[in-house]
Amino acid sequence: MDSAAVRLPDVDRLRPRMLGIDEHRFRSVRFFKDPGTGTWTRYEPWMTTIVDLDTGQVLGIVDGRDSTGVGDWLFKRPLEWRLGVQVVAIDPSAAFRRALRMWLPRTAVSVDHFHLIQLANQALTEVRQRLSQQVRGRRGRAADPAWANRRLLLRAGSDLSAAGLDRLAGVFATDDPTGKLQAAWEVKEQLRLVLRTGSLEGAAAAKQKLHGYVQAAAMPETNRLWRTVNRWWKEIEVLIVTGATTAKVEANNTTIKNIKRKGRGYRNPWNYQSRILMASAAKTTA
């Protein structure tokens, strides 16, 4: 179903300065069996939400989470509307970036800091799990300091109390014989510092220091994180300068989840999209 058929009447007349794009699941994951081959195929019914970051209003919902759906939606907007968009915030999605480069080539793209920190936390968790297998030959247990404090490891170091810092130091002293866990934690913390810098000069200096931490760590997880930072560096610079994030898109995704719960789920995409657009319009107008 074409989401343009259910868009708000004035979407094409509005010219938002900033957009946010993020995906969410329309329905639960399903498996379909091919009657001919008997093989099962996993199907994830994703939809993508496009939000005006100036007002928080949902402008469109398109099928899938690839460049085609977003690209088709942008193509249907008037040229004047597209030229009015200055910044678009996305998660680190190559598909979204491809669509934006095609239809909004003059628009700056910002990558959301939450998703970048999430990648750093994921890398740290993978290092902790791998080291547990290498050192103990098993998964972590409650008796292991690193496992017991796994959530503490993911918190921002600058937000920890003195007691929290002492606990963290105890983890590194008693449950990190290789020093690799602390090295991965330092990479994660330095990425936080990169994203908190207020200037491009400061970001470049912090990035150089991050490179040093990554080289010292010398692990596949931190090397992969470093490659991601390099691939998205232009978008990170836009984030540092503009501060544009997908926070308002995530807030709308929470509202969308509540709409799905109230409706006990939706099977008709047209009704689903219409309900979201009407609820967002009413909330924004009010």
Side-chain angles (χ1 to χ4, degrees):
M1 179 66 190
D2 184 4
S3 62
V6 296
R7 65 173 184 265
L8 300 176
D10 59 348
V11 164
D12 287 342
R13 293 201 299 270
L14 295 172
R15 291 194 299 166
R17 294 183 301 106
M18 301 173 67
L19 292 179
I21 301 175
D22 199 13
E23 75 277 0
H24 67 275
R25 279 198 179 97
F26 163 48
R27 301 182 67 178
S28 59
V29 176
R30 298 193 172 193
F31 293 86
F32 295 93
K33 185 176 182 180
D34 188 323
T37 63
T39 58
W40 290 86
T41 302
R42 177 186 172 98
Y43 174 67
E44 296 191 42
W46 292 95
M47 283 195 175
T48 299
T49 312
I50 302 167
V51 175
D52 182 343
L53 296 185
D54 298 316
T55 63
Q57 182 174 331
V58 177
L59 301 181
I61 305 107
V62 299
D63 293 333
R65 57 172 180 173
D66 53 20
S67 59
T68 303
V70 175
D72 290 345
W73 189 89
L74 291 172
F75 172 73
K76 293 173 182 176
R77 310 280 78 76
L79 178 60
E80 182 184 7
W81 187 95
R82 281 184 270 149
L83 292 176
V85 180
Q86 299 175 2
V87 181
V88 181
I90 61 174
D91 60 12
S93 167
F96 292 163
R97 183 168 61 177
R98 191 179 309 116
L100 294 172
R101 285 177 175 174
M102 174 67 71
W103 299 111
L104 299 176
R106 298 182 181 180
T107 300
V109 178
S110 171
V111 61
D112 184 65
H113 74 282
F114 170 81
H115 291 87
L116 292 172
I117 300 238
Q118 189 177 49
L119 291 177
N121 285 341
Q122 179 184 343
L124 177 58
T125 298
E126 291 176 359
V127 169
R128 176 181 58 78
Q129 293 170 340
R130 178 172 58 81
L131 291 176
S132 179
Q133 291 289 346
Q134 290 179 352
V135 175
R136 295 188 174 88
R138 59 170 172 78
R139 297 178 59 184
R141 297 175 182 171
D144 305 331
W147 190 91
N149 293 279
R150 62 195 183 281
R151 292 186 179 87
L152 182 68
L153 287 165
L154 302 182
R155 290 184 57 189
S158 58
D159 294 340
L160 294 179
S161 63
L165 291 173
D166 289 341
R167 284 171 53 200
L168 194 61
V171 171
F172 296 143
T174 61
D175 201 15
D176 187 23
T178 64
K180 292 293 187 180
L181 183 62
Q182 183 173 0
W185 182 84
E186 290 172 346
V187 169
K188 183 262 293 185
E189 287 299 306
Q190 184 59 30
L191 179 59
R192 286 182 177 272
L193 292 177
V194 170
L195 300 179
R196 285 205 303 266
T197 54
S199 68
L200 296 182
E201 294 78 8
K207 180 189 177 187
Q208 189 61 33
K209 192 172 182 180
L210 173 63
H211 189 203
Y213 281 120
V214 171
Q215 288 181 318
M219 290 181 286
E221 296 87 355
T222 50
N223 289 338
R224 183 180 68 239
L225 179 64
W226 172 249
R227 290 194 297 270
T228 300
V229 169
N230 281 316
R231 284 197 301 268
W232 289 88
W233 185 246
K234 289 183 178 179
E235 289 75 16
I236 291 174
E237 288 183 326
V238 175
L239 167 66
I240 292 169
V241 172
T242 65
T245 71
T246 61
K248 288 187 178 180
V249 191
E250 298 291 353
N252 274 288
N253 284 345
T254 300
T255 302
I256 289 171
K257 290 180 181 179
N258 292 331
I259 290 174
K260 286 193 291 186
R261 292 190 185 104
K262 290 180 181 179
R264 301 296 191 271
Y266 287 82
R267 288 185 290 181
N268 187 318
W270 190 89
N271 289 338
Y272 175 73
Q273 294 167 353
S274 298
R275 184 69 183 85
I276 293 170
L277 290 171
M278 286 189 293
S280 177
K283 181 179 179 180
T284 305
T285 302

